[in-house]
Amino acid sequence: MELLEQADTLAKLQAASVALRDTLNVDHIAYHWVDSAGDQYGCGTYSTAWQARYLEQNYLRIDPVIIGCYQRFHPVDWKRLDWSSKPARAFLAESIEYGLGNQGYSVPIRGPNGQFALFTVNHSCTDDDWFAFTEAHRSMLILIAHYLNKKALEFEPNRTPEQSQSLSPREIDAMTLLAIGYSRAQVANTLSISEHTLRVYIESARFKLGAMNTTHAVARALSRGLIVV
């Protein structure tokens, strides 16, 4: 986190990503974003050979991680994605040949003005070991993903700061508890309000954030620093 805070160039962001991989003791981490102008940036520890191969073959078209995460607003384990097609299975087999692990966990992020980003942790291990890792580190990975995205946005040229309405204290409380993983019933009980009143707070926050649904609202509140988990 200190390296990310100090990063003021893409090279330093890359150095921070390497340090993050070593700290987490995983094979790879990767961060990729597309800004509002359609320009693409990235940092991470995948080999240059795999990056070149990926671009050469235009694997963006068939990559189940990209396709699956673009349709989601919440973190996802790669095993939950659709690898059933023959091109997808061939893609996975080839990626492993290039040094990628058989396990992955990705956090999709929506930023201002149409920005889309993806933070991924990748490793080689058994399903049980990977489940234990993601269970232990899920909250930290989500926090790092959004912090990394916030830092990366500083490098986008001619970026206009996004204006957002502030959330009320009750809306912040509701969004924070939902981000932690509470159900609506648990949130209502914790805040000592009815589920109907909670729905009013959630809808108000969603409108202020310009979100399509509750999960999208939580993701936007996190990315804008309006709530902290």
Side-chain angles (χ1 to χ4, degrees), residues 64-91:
V65 179
I66 297 294
I67 295 170
C69 287
Y70 196 73
Q71 300 169 346
R72 289 172 165 81
F73 294 98
H74 54 82
V76 61
D77 190 291
W78 285 8
K79 289 188 293 292
R80 295 182 175 272
L81 300 173
D82 183 7
W83 300 89
S84 61
S85 71
K86 185 176 180 180
R89 292 195 301 271
F91 166 78

Side-chain angles (χ1 to χ4, degrees), residues 13 33 42 64 93 102 138 145 148 219:
L13 200 63
W33 83 95
N102 63 317
R138 179 183 292 111
L148 180 58

Side-chain angles (χ1 to χ4, degrees), residues 145-210:
H146 285 279
Y147 192 86
L148 180 58
N149 191 65
K150 183 179 178 182
K151 173 60 65 170
L153 283 172
E154 296 176 9
F155 304 125
E156 184 175 334
N158 305 317
R159 183 172 71 94
T160 301
E162 185 175 29
Q163 301 297 319
S164 60
Q165 294 178 266
S166 61
L167 301 181
S168 71
R170 274 304 203 190
E171 290 165 357
I172 290 174
D173 289 342
M175 289 290 104
T176 301
L177 292 173
L178 288 170
I180 291 173
Y182 281 28
S183 67
R184 292 197 177 204
Q186 289 173 318
V187 173
N189 182 60
T190 301
L191 298 180
S192 300
I193 58 177
S194 68
E195 288 194 46
H196 174 75
T197 300
L198 173 64
R199 190 178 304 115
V200 173
Y201 289 136
I202 292 174
E203 286 303 302
S204 175
R206 188 179 66 80
F207 175 77
K208 290 179 179 179
L209 294 165

